[in-house]
Amino acid sequence: MNQQRSSSVRKWISNLLFVVAAVSATVLGGNDGLVTLYLPPWRIDLSFNLFVLISLATAMTAYTMIRAVSLLLGMPERAREWRVNKRDRNAQAALRDAMAQHFAGRYTRAQRSAQRAIDIWSATPDLAVTQDNQALAHMLAAASSHRLQDRTHRDAYLKQALQEAGRGKVLEEGARLLEAEWALDDREAGRALQLLSDLPTGVARRTLALRLKLQAQRQAGHPLDA
């Protein structure tokens, strides 16, 4: 395959050189024009063909130099963009690793990966990060902290997730439901019922919300309401 490709490239270059040679012989072969340059006290006589070649070479050289200078001046900006994109890729990879580790039950590793993504985004102000990504990272860190029974960090992560999720978004609804579920795990039935009552009507009618409400009523000792 590579040999066939190399052969086709050589054939294409040969055809191109043949066309260039034919056009040059046709256009420039019978041209007897003369170009005279006066640079007092000197006078320079050039054939028209040589003048055309020198002009083309000068134009190509000038374009190459301008292009090189432009690329050289733009290198710092391109290097900055490359560093920012690399940090974004690292943060996204850390977020994906946090999700995989959490679902695998490796909660300490999941918390560390989520925190690493958060740290990268926080340390890169030039990085355009969506609030959904940051909210998801904080929710994963909060969920892992809850599994580790680390309530202090769990509540801090969850509070940050709620601030970043935005009002009325799916992530904000998920964070509210998680908060109610964790209140049940903490044996705080009254707080869970209060959190569930604060949910929007559409969210409160979902199956998960109704199941949490049933568990909270049972835990609170309200069999009739359950």
Side-chain angles (χ1 to χ4, degrees), residues 117-133:
I118 295 169
D119 292 340
I120 292 174
W121 285 324
S122 300
T124 314
D126 294 336
L127 189 59
V129 186
T130 61
Q131 288 187 325
D132 287 347
N133 283 345

Side-chain angles (χ1 to χ4, degrees), residues 80-92 120 127:
R80 185 191 66 80
E81 292 178 355
W82 181 83
R83 289 193 299 269
V84 169
N85 291 333
K86 182 179 180 181
R87 293 183 68 84
D88 183 45
R89 290 192 298 270
N90 292 339
Q92 296 290 347
I120 292 174
L127 189 59

